[in-house]
Amino acid sequence: MNNMVQEYKRILVPVDGSEEAELALNKAVWVAKMNQARLDILNVLDTKQFAGSYSGMLSGDAIFQISEDAQNYLNSLKYDIQTNDGLKDVEIHVRFGNPKNVIARDFPTEYQTDLIMMGSTGLNAVERMLMGSVTEYVNRTAICDVLIVKTDVENRPYQKASKKK
């Protein structure tokens, strides 16, 4: 029966700066260490947001600055993980596009991801109704296993600053 045990070798964690995403990242680091897996940390810059909020035009400089900030954010996460958690096999990626498609299909296809670990949605109920949660979409359509992280590394339920049941 031992050959039935699922081993994950390439774990993808999409991050967006939210507490939920960083909670998922912490847990993914632990899972990656247990499986001697590679950890891919991904930040998808939603191109719709660039077009929508700036009357269709965002200067090349502004886009460069946004992707530069994303790169710096991911670099600091990678440094922390390699230094404090001792996980060496960490790659960071910044992508432009639709986060739903990039996370569910494009990235996992390109990098042979076998597990996506992500936080439950950071959106409020109204935003979820309007946009649909990226997490829900990925969970429904991803080409590999998806784990929605709702607990911390000690498996305690995650409490956001605003207490909600």
Side-chain angles (χ1 to χ4, degrees), residues 77-157:
L77 293 177
K78 177 179 178 173
Y79 178 82
D80 281 351
I81 290 166
Q82 291 182 326
T83 309
N84 304 327
D85 299 302
L87 180 67
K88 295 298 172 227
D89 201 357
V90 182
E91 295 296 326
I92 57 172
H93 312 266
V94 176
R95 288 281 185 281
F96 288 89
N98 176 333
K100 292 180 176 179
N101 297 333
V102 174
I103 296 166
R105 286 188 292 276
D106 301 347
F107 189 94
T109 301
E110 195 180 333
Y111 287 89
Q112 291 83 51
T113 302
D114 47 31
L115 177 65
I116 300 170
M117 292 180 69
M118 58 195 302
S120 52
T121 178
L123 299 176
N124 66 40
V126 175
E127 289 170 317
R128 263 201 312 279
M129 204 171 65
L130 295 174
M131 298 164 36
S133 146
V134 172
T135 303
E136 286 168 31
Y137 180 86
V138 170
N139 196 27
R140 237 186 7 258
T141 65
I143 60 168
C144 62
D145 287 352
V146 178
L147 177 64
I148 313 295
V149 177
K150 297 182 175 194
T151 58
D152 64 16
V153 190
E154 281 84 36
N155 295 322
R156 290 183 303 240

Coordinates of all heavy atoms in Angstrom, one line a residue, residues 77-157:
L77 N 10.8 37.4 0.8 CA 10.2 36.1 1.3 C 11.2 35.0 1.1 O 11.4 34.1 2.0 CB 8.9 35.8 0.5 CG 7.7 36.7 0.7 CD1 6.6 36.3 -0.2 CD2 7.3 36.8 2.2
K78 N 11.8 34.9 -0.1 CA 12.7 33.8 -0.4 C 13.9 33.9 0.6 O 14.3 32.8 1.1 CB 13.2 34.0 -1.8 CG 14.3 33.0 -2.2 CD 14.7 33.1 -3.7 CE 15.8 32.1 -4.0 NZ 16.1 32.2 -5.5
Y79 N 14.4 35.1 0.8 CA 15.6 35.2 1.8 C 15.2 34.7 3.1 O 16.0 33.9 3.8 CB 16.0 36.7 1.8 CG 17.2 36.9 2.8 CD1 18.5 36.6 2.4 CD2 16.9 37.3 4.1 CE1 19.5 36.8 3.3 CE2 17.9 37.5 5.0 CZ 19.2 37.3 4.6 OH 20.3 37.4 5.5
D80 N 14.0 35.1 3.6 CA 13.6 34.6 5.0 C 13.5 33.1 5.0 O 13.9 32.5 6.0 CB 12.2 35.2 5.3 CG 12.3 36.7 5.7 OD1 13.4 37.1 6.0 OD2 11.2 37.3 5.9
I81 N 12.9 32.5 4.0 CA 12.7 31.1 4.0 C 14.0 30.3 3.9 O 14.2 29.4 4.7 CB 11.8 30.7 2.8 CG1 10.4 31.2 3.0 CG2 11.8 29.2 2.6 CD1 9.5 31.1 1.7
Q82 N 14.9 30.8 3.1 CA 16.2 30.1 3.0 C 17.0 30.3 4.3 O 17.7 29.4 4.7 CB 17.0 30.6 1.8 CG 16.3 30.1 0.5 CD 17.1 30.6 -0.8 OE1 17.6 31.6 -0.8 NE2 17.0 29.7 -1.8
T83 N 16.9 31.5 4.9 CA 17.8 31.8 6.0 C 17.2 31.2 7.3 O 17.8 30.6 8.1 CB 17.9 33.4 6.2 OG1 18.3 33.9 4.9 CG2 18.9 33.7 7.2
N84 N 15.9 31.5 7.5 CA 15.2 31.1 8.8 C 14.7 29.7 8.8 O 14.6 29.1 9.9 CB 14.1 32.1 9.2 CG 14.7 33.6 9.2 OD1 15.8 33.8 9.6 ND2 13.9 34.5 8.9
D85 N 14.2 29.3 7.7 CA 13.5 27.9 7.6 C 14.5 26.9 7.1 O 14.1 25.7 7.1 CB 12.2 28.0 6.8 CG 11.2 29.0 7.4 OD1 10.9 28.8 8.6 OD2 10.8 29.9 6.7
G86 N 15.6 27.3 6.5 CA 16.5 26.3 5.9 C 16.0 25.6 4.7 O 16.6 24.5 4.4
L87 N 15.0 26.1 4.0 CA 14.6 25.4 2.8 C 15.3 26.1 1.7 O 15.2 27.3 1.4 CB 13.1 25.6 2.6 CG 12.5 25.0 1.3 CD1 12.6 23.4 1.3 CD2 11.1 25.4 1.1
K88 N 16.2 25.4 1.0 CA 17.0 26.0 -0.1 C 16.4 26.0 -1.4 O 16.6 27.0 -2.2 CB 18.4 25.2 -0.2 CG 19.2 25.2 1.1 CD 19.6 26.7 1.4 CE 20.3 26.8 2.8 NZ 19.8 27.9 3.6
D89 N 15.5 25.1 -1.8 CA 15.0 25.0 -3.1 C 13.7 25.8 -3.3 O 12.6 25.4 -3.2 CB 14.7 23.5 -3.4 CG 14.6 23.2 -4.9 OD1 14.7 24.2 -5.7 OD2 14.4 22.1 -5.3
V90 N 14.0 27.1 -3.4 CA 12.9 28.1 -3.5 C 13.1 28.9 -4.7 O 14.2 29.5 -4.9 CB 12.9 29.1 -2.2 CG1 11.7 30.0 -2.3 CG2 12.8 28.3 -1.0
E91 N 12.1 29.0 -5.6 CA 12.1 29.9 -6.7 C 11.0 30.9 -6.7 O 9.9 30.6 -6.1 CB 11.9 29.1 -8.0 CG 13.0 28.0 -8.3 CD 14.4 28.7 -8.6 OE1 14.4 29.8 -9.2 OE2 15.4 28.1 -8.2
I92 N 11.3 32.1 -7.1 CA 10.3 33.2 -7.1 C 9.9 33.6 -8.6 O 10.8 33.5 -9.5 CB 10.7 34.4 -6.3 CG1 12.0 35.0 -6.8 CG2 10.8 34.0 -4.8 CD1 12.4 36.3 -6.2
H93 N 8.7 34.0 -8.8 CA 8.2 34.3 -10.1 C 7.2 35.4 -10.1 O 6.3 35.4 -9.2 CB 7.5 33.1 -10.7 CG 8.2 31.8 -10.6 ND1 9.0 31.3 -11.5 CD2 8.2 30.9 -9.5 CE1 9.5 30.1 -11.1 NE2 9.1 29.8 -9.9
V94 N 7.4 36.4 -11.0 CA 6.4 37.5 -11.1 C 5.8 37.3 -12.5 O 6.6 37.1 -13.5 CB 7.1 38.9 -11.0 CG1 6.0 40.0 -11.3 CG2 7.7 39.0 -9.6
R95 N 4.5 37.3 -12.6 CA 3.8 37.1 -13.9 C 2.8 38.2 -14.1 O 2.2 38.6 -13.1 CB 3.1 35.7 -14.0 CG 4.0 34.5 -14.1 CD 4.5 34.3 -15.5 NE 5.2 33.1 -15.7 CZ 6.5 32.9 -15.3 NH1 7.1 33.9 -14.7 NH2 7.1 31.8 -15.5
F96 N 2.6 38.6 -15.3 CA 1.5 39.5 -15.7 C 0.4 38.6 -16.3 O 0.7 37.7 -17.0 CB 1.9 40.5 -16.7 CG 2.9 41.5 -16.1 CD1 4.2 41.3 -16.1 CD2 2.4 42.7 -15.6 CE1 5.1 42.3 -15.6 CE2 3.2 43.7 -15.0 CZ 4.6 43.5 -15.0
G97 N -0.9 38.9 -16.0 CA -2.0 38.2 -16.6 C -3.2 38.1 -15.7 O -3.3 38.9 -14.7
N98 N -4.0 37.2 -16.0 CA -5.2 36.9 -15.2 C -4.8 35.9 -14.1 O -4.5 34.8 -14.4 CB -6.3 36.4 -16.1 CG -7.6 36.0 -15.3 OD1 -7.5 35.7 -14.1 ND2 -8.7 36.1 -16.0
P99 N -4.9 36.3 -12.8 CA -4.4 35.4 -11.8 C -5.1 34.1 -11.8 O -4.4 33.1 -11.6 CB -4.7 36.2 -10.5 CG -4.8 37.6 -10.9 CD -5.2 37.6 -12.3
K100 N -6.4 34.0 -12.1 CA -7.1 32.8 -12.1 C -6.5 31.8 -13.1 O -6.2 30.6 -12.7 CB -8.6 33.0 -12.4 CG -9.3 33.8 -11.4 CD -10.8 34.0 -11.8 CE -11.6 34.6 -10.7 NZ -13.0 34.9 -11.0
N101 N -6.3 32.2 -14.3 CA -5.7 31.3 -15.3 C -4.3 31.0 -15.1 O -3.8 29.8 -15.3 CB -5.9 31.9 -16.7 CG -7.3 32.1 -17.1 OD1 -8.2 31.4 -16.6 ND2 -7.6 33.1 -17.9
V102 N -3.5 32.0 -14.7 CA -2.1 31.8 -14.5 C -1.9 30.7 -13.4 O -1.1 29.8 -13.5 CB -1.3 33.1 -14.1 CG1 0.1 32.8 -13.7 CG2 -1.4 34.1 -15.3
I103 N -2.6 30.9 -12.2 CA -2.4 30.0 -11.1 C -3.0 28.6 -11.3 O -2.4 27.6 -11.0 CB -3.0 30.6 -9.8 CG1 -2.3 31.9 -9.4 CG2 -3.0 29.6 -8.7 CD1 -3.1 32.8 -8.4
A104 N -4.2 28.6 -12.0 CA -4.8 27.3 -12.1 C -4.2 26.4 -13.2 O -4.1 25.2 -13.1 CB -6.3 27.5 -12.4
R105 N -3.7 27.1 -14.3 CA -3.3 26.3 -15.5 C -1.9 26.6 -16.0 O -1.1 25.8 -16.2 CB -4.4 26.4 -16.6 CG -5.6 25.6 -16.3 CD -6.5 25.6 -17.5 NE -7.1 26.9 -17.8 CZ -8.2 27.4 -17.2 NH1 -8.8 26.7 -16.3 NH2 -8.6 28.6 -17.4
D106 N -1.7 27.9 -16.4 CA -0.5 28.3 -17.1 C 0.8 27.9 -16.4 O 1.6 27.2 -16.9 CB -0.5 29.8 -17.5 CG -1.8 30.2 -18.3 OD1 -2.5 29.3 -18.8 OD2 -2.0 31.4 -18.4
F107 N 0.9 28.4 -15.1 CA 2.1 28.1 -14.4 C 2.3 26.7 -14.1 O 3.3 26.1 -14.3 CB 2.1 29.0 -13.1 CG 3.4 28.9 -12.4 CD1 4.4 29.9 -12.6 CD2 3.7 27.9 -11.5 CE1 5.6 29.8 -11.9 CE2 4.9 27.8 -10.8 CZ 5.9 28.8 -11.1
P108 N 1.2 26.0 -13.5 CA 1.4 24.5 -13.3 C 1.8 23.7 -14.5 O 2.5 22.7 -14.4 CB 0.0 24.1 -12.7 CG -0.6 25.4 -12.2 CD -0.1 26.5 -13.1
T109 N 1.3 24.1 -15.7 CA 1.6 23.4 -16.9 C 3.1 23.6 -17.2 O 3.9 22.7 -17.5 CB 0.8 23.9 -18.1 OG1 -0.6 23.7 -17.8 CG2 1.2 23.2 -19.4
E110 N 3.5 24.8 -17.1 CA 4.9 25.2 -17.4 C 5.9 24.6 -16.5 O 7.0 24.2 -16.8 CB 5.0 26.7 -17.4 CG 6.3 27.3 -18.1 CD 6.3 28.8 -18.1 OE1 5.3 29.4 -18.0 OE2 7.5 29.3 -18.1
Y111 N 5.6 24.5 -15.2 CA 6.5 24.1 -14.1 C 6.2 22.7 -13.5 O 6.8 22.4 -12.5 CB 6.6 25.2 -13.0 CG 7.4 26.4 -13.5 CD1 6.7 27.4 -14.1 CD2 8.7 26.5 -13.3 CE1 7.4 28.6 -14.6 CE2 9.5 27.6 -13.8 CZ 8.8 28.6 -14.4 OH 9.4 29.7 -14.9
Q112 N 5.3 22.0 -14.1 CA 4.9 20.6 -13.6 C 4.6 20.7 -12.1 O 5.0 19.8 -11.4 CB 6.0 19.6 -13.9 CG 6.2 19.2 -15.3 CD 7.1 20.3 -16.1 OE1 8.2 20.6 -15.6 NE2 6.6 20.8 -17.2
T113 N 3.8 21.7 -11.7 CA 3.4 21.8 -10.3 C 2.5 20.6 -10.0 O 1.7 20.2 -10.8 CB 2.5 23.1 -10.2 OG1 3.3 24.2 -10.5 CG2 2.1 23.2 -8.7
D114 N 2.7 20.0 -8.8 CA 1.8 18.9 -8.4 C 0.9 19.2 -7.2 O 0.0 18.5 -6.9 CB 2.5 17.5 -8.3 CG 3.8 17.6 -7.5 OD1 3.9 18.5 -6.6 OD2 4.7 16.8 -7.7
L115 N 1.2 20.4 -6.6 CA 0.4 20.9 -5.5 C 0.4 22.4 -5.5 O 1.4 23.0 -5.5 CB 0.9 20.3 -4.2 CG 0.1 20.8 -2.9 CD1 -1.3 20.3 -2.9 CD2 0.8 20.3 -1.6
I116 N -0.8 22.9 -5.4 CA -1.0 24.4 -5.2 C -1.5 24.6 -3.8 O -2.5 24.0 -3.4 CB -2.0 25.0 -6.2 CG1 -1.6 24.8 -7.6 CG2 -2.2 26.5 -5.9 CD1 -2.6 25.2 -8.7
M117 N -0.8 25.4 -3.0 CA -1.2 25.7 -1.6 C -1.5 27.2 -1.6 O -0.7 28.0 -1.9 CB -0.2 25.3 -0.6 CG 0.1 23.8 -0.5 SD 1.3 23.4 0.8 CE 0.5 23.8 2.3
M118 N -2.8 27.5 -1.2 CA -3.1 28.9 -1.2 C -4.0 29.2 0.0 O -4.7 28.4 0.5 CB -3.7 29.4 -2.5 CG -4.9 28.7 -3.0 SD -5.2 29.0 -4.8 CE -5.4 30.8 -4.9
G119 N -4.1 30.5 0.3 CA -4.9 30.9 1.4 C -6.4 31.0 0.9 O -6.6 31.1 -0.3
S120 N -7.3 30.9 1.9 CA -8.7 31.2 1.5 C -8.8 32.6 1.2 O -7.9 33.4 1.5 CB -9.6 30.8 2.7 OG -9.2 31.4 3.8
T121 N -9.8 33.0 0.5 CA -9.8 34.3 -0.2 C -9.6 35.5 0.8 O -10.0 35.5 1.9 CB -11.2 34.5 -0.9 OG1 -11.2 35.8 -1.4 CG2 -12.3 34.4 0.1
G122 N -8.9 36.5 0.2 CA -8.7 37.7 1.0 C -9.8 38.8 0.7 O -9.8 39.8 1.2
L123 N -10.7 38.4 -0.2 CA -11.7 39.4 -0.6 C -12.9 39.4 0.4 O -13.2 38.4 1.0 CB -12.3 39.0 -2.0 CG -11.4 39.0 -3.2 CD1 -12.1 38.5 -4.4 CD2 -10.8 40.3 -3.5
N124 N -13.6 40.5 0.4 CA -14.8 40.5 1.2 C -16.0 40.0 0.4 O -15.8 39.7 -0.8 CB -15.1 41.9 1.8 CG -15.4 42.9 0.7 OD1 -16.1 42.6 -0.3 ND2 -14.9 44.1 0.8
A125 N -17.1 39.8 1.1 CA -18.2 39.1 0.4 C -18.7 39.8 -0.9 O -19.0 39.2 -1.8 CB -19.4 39.0 1.4
V126 N -18.7 41.1 -0.8 CA -19.2 41.9 -2.0 C -18.2 41.7 -3.2 O -18.6 41.4 -4.3 CB -19.3 43.4 -1.7 CG1 -19.7 44.2 -2.9 CG2 -20.4 43.6 -0.6
E127 N -16.9 41.8 -2.9 CA -15.9 41.6 -4.0 C -16.0 40.2 -4.5 O -15.8 40.0 -5.7 CB -14.5 41.8 -3.4 CG -14.2 43.3 -3.1 CD -12.9 43.5 -2.4 OE1 -12.6 42.7 -1.4 OE2 -12.1 44.4 -2.7
R128 N -16.2 39.2 -3.6 CA -16.3 37.8 -4.1 C -17.5 37.6 -5.0 O -17.4 37.0 -6.0 CB -16.5 36.9 -2.9 CG -15.2 36.2 -2.5 CD -15.5 35.0 -1.7 NE -16.5 35.1 -0.6 CZ -16.2 35.6 0.6 NH1 -15.1 36.1 0.9 NH2 -17.2 35.7 1.5
M129 N -18.6 38.3 -4.7 CA -19.8 38.2 -5.5 C -19.6 38.8 -6.9 O -20.0 38.3 -7.9 CB -20.9 39.0 -4.8 CG -22.3 38.5 -5.2 SD -23.5 39.3 -4.1 CE -23.3 41.0 -4.5
L130 N -18.9 39.9 -6.9 CA -18.6 40.6 -8.2 C -17.6 39.9 -9.0 O -17.7 39.8 -10.2 CB -18.2 42.1 -7.9 CG -19.2 43.0 -7.2 CD1 -18.6 44.3 -6.9 CD2 -20.4 43.2 -8.1
M131 N -16.4 39.6 -8.4 CA -15.3 39.1 -9.1 C -15.2 37.5 -9.1 O -14.5 37.0 -9.9 CB -14.0 39.7 -8.6 CG -14.0 41.2 -8.8 SD -12.7 42.0 -7.7 CE -11.4 40.8 -7.8
G132 N -15.7 37.0 -8.0 CA -15.5 35.6 -7.8 C -14.1 35.4 -7.2 O -13.2 36.1 -7.6
S133 N -14.0 34.5 -6.3 CA -12.7 34.4 -5.6 C -11.7 33.6 -6.5 O -12.1 32.6 -7.1 CB -12.9 33.7 -4.3 OG -11.8 32.9 -4.0
V134 N -10.5 34.1 -6.5 CA -9.4 33.4 -7.3 C -9.2 32.0 -6.7 O -9.1 31.0 -7.4 CB -8.1 34.2 -7.2 CG1 -6.9 33.4 -7.7 CG2 -8.2 35.5 -7.9
T135 N -9.3 31.9 -5.3 CA -9.2 30.6 -4.7 C -10.2 29.6 -5.1 O -9.9 28.5 -5.4 CB -9.2 30.8 -3.1 OG1 -8.2 31.7 -2.7 CG2 -9.0 29.5 -2.4
E136 N -11.5 30.1 -5.2 CA -12.6 29.2 -5.6 C -12.3 28.7 -7.0 O -12.5 27.6 -7.3 CB -13.9 29.9 -5.5 CG -14.4 30.1 -4.1 CD -15.6 31.0 -4.0 OE1 -16.4 31.1 -4.9 OE2 -15.7 31.7 -2.9
Y137 N -11.9 29.6 -7.9 CA -11.7 29.3 -9.3 C -10.6 28.3 -9.4 O -10.7 27.3 -10.1 CB -11.4 30.6 -10.1 CG -11.2 30.3 -11.6 CD1 -12.3 30.2 -12.4 CD2 -9.9 30.0 -12.1 CE1 -12.1 29.9 -13.8 CE2 -9.7 29.7 -13.4 CZ -10.8 29.7 -14.2 OH -10.6 29.4 -15.6
V138 N -9.5 28.5 -8.7 CA -8.3 27.6 -8.8 C -8.7 26.3 -8.3 O -8.4 25.2 -8.9 CB -7.1 28.2 -8.1 CG1 -6.0 27.2 -7.9 CG2 -6.6 29.5 -8.8
N139 N -9.5 26.3 -7.2 CA -9.9 25.0 -6.6 C -10.7 24.2 -7.5 O -10.6 23.0 -7.6 CB -10.7 25.3 -5.3 CG -10.8 24.1 -4.4 OD1 -9.9 23.2 -4.4 ND2 -11.8 24.0 -3.6
R140 N -11.6 24.9 -8.3 CA -12.5 24.2 -9.2 C -11.8 23.7 -10.5 O -12.1 22.7 -11.1 CB -13.6 25.2 -9.6 CG -15.0 24.7 -9.4 CD -16.1 25.5 -9.9 NE -15.8 26.7 -10.7 CZ -15.8 27.9 -10.3 NH1 -16.0 28.2 -9.0 NH2 -15.5 28.9 -11.1
T141 N -10.8 24.5 -11.0 CA -10.3 24.2 -12.4 C -8.8 23.9 -12.5 O -8.4 23.6 -13.6 CB -10.5 25.5 -13.3 OG1 -9.7 26.5 -12.7 CG2 -12.0 25.9 -13.3
A142 N -8.1 23.8 -11.4 CA -6.7 23.6 -11.4 C -6.4 22.2 -12.0 O -7.2 21.3 -11.9 CB -6.0 23.7 -10.1
I143 N -5.2 22.1 -12.7 CA -4.8 20.8 -13.3 C -4.0 20.0 -12.3 O -3.5 18.9 -12.7 CB -4.0 21.1 -14.6 CG1 -2.7 21.9 -14.2 CG2 -4.8 21.9 -15.6 CD1 -1.7 21.9 -15.3
C144 N -3.9 20.4 -11.1 CA -3.2 19.5 -10.1 C -4.0 19.7 -8.7 O -5.0 20.4 -8.6 CB -1.8 20.0 -9.9 SG -1.6 21.7 -9.3
D145 N -3.5 19.0 -7.7 CA -4.1 19.1 -6.4 C -4.0 20.5 -5.9 O -3.0 21.2 -6.1 CB -3.4 18.2 -5.4 CG -3.7 16.7 -5.6 OD1 -4.6 16.4 -6.5 OD2 -3.1 15.8 -5.0
V146 N -5.1 20.9 -5.1 CA -5.1 22.2 -4.5 C -5.4 22.0 -3.0 O -6.3 21.3 -2.6 CB -6.2 23.1 -5.1 CG1 -6.3 24.4 -4.4 CG2 -6.0 23.3 -6.6
L147 N -4.6 22.7 -2.2 CA -4.8 22.7 -0.7 C -5.1 24.1 -0.3 O -4.3 25.0 -0.5 CB -3.6 22.1 0.0 CG -3.7 22.1 1.5 CD1 -4.8 21.2 2.0 CD2 -2.3 21.7 2.1
I148 N -6.3 24.3 0.3 CA -6.7 25.6 0.8 C -6.3 25.7 2.2 O -6.8 24.9 3.0 CB -8.2 25.9 0.7 CG1 -8.8 25.5 -0.7 CG2 -8.5 27.3 1.0 CD1 -8.2 26.3 -1.9
V149 N -5.4 26.5 2.6 CA -4.8 26.6 3.9 C -5.7 27.4 4.8 O -5.9 28.6 4.5 CB -3.4 27.1 3.9 CG1 -2.8 27.2 5.3 CG2 -2.5 26.2 3.1
K150 N -6.2 26.8 5.9 CA -7.0 27.6 6.8 C -6.5 27.6 8.2 O -7.1 28.1 9.2 CB -8.4 27.0 6.8 CG -9.1 27.1 5.5 CD -10.5 26.5 5.6 CE -11.2 26.7 4.2 NZ -12.6 26.5 4.3
T151 N -5.3 26.9 8.4 CA -4.8 26.8 9.8 C -3.3 27.2 9.7 O -2.7 27.1 8.6 CB -4.9 25.3 10.3 OG1 -4.2 24.5 9.4 CG2 -6.4 24.9 10.5
D152 N -2.8 27.5 10.9 CA -1.3 27.8 10.9 C -0.5 26.5 11.0 O -1.1 25.4 10.9 CB -1.0 28.7 12.1 CG -1.3 28.0 13.5 OD1 -1.4 26.8 13.5 OD2 -1.4 28.8 14.5
V153 N 0.8 26.6 11.1 CA 1.7 25.5 11.1 C 1.4 24.5 12.2 O 1.6 23.3 12.0 CB 3.1 25.9 11.1 CG1 4.1 24.7 10.8 CG2 3.4 27.0 10.1
E154 N 0.8 24.9 13.3 CA 0.4 24.0 14.4 C -1.0 23.5 14.2 O -1.6 23.0 15.1 CB 0.5 24.7 15.7 CG 2.0 24.8 16.3 CD 2.7 26.0 15.7 OE1 2.1 27.0 15.5 OE2 3.9 25.8 15.4
N155 N -1.6 23.8 13.0 CA -3.0 23.3 12.7 C -4.0 24.0 13.6 O -5.1 23.5 13.8 CB -3.1 21.8 12.8 CG -2.3 21.1 11.7 OD1 -2.2 21.6 10.6 ND2 -1.7 20.0 12.1
R156 N -3.7 25.2 14.0 CA -4.7 26.0 14.8 C -5.5 26.8 13.8 O -4.8 27.4 12.9 CB -4.1 26.9 15.8 CG -3.5 26.1 17.0 CD -2.9 27.1 18.0 NE -1.9 27.9 17.4 CZ -0.7 28.0 17.8 NH1 -0.2 27.3 18.8 NH2 0.2 28.8 17.2
P157 N -6.8 26.9 13.9 CA -7.6 27.8 13.0 C -7.0 29.2 13.0 O -6.7 29.7 14.0 CB -9.0 27.7 13.6 CG -9.1 26.5 14.4 CD -7.7 26.3 14.9

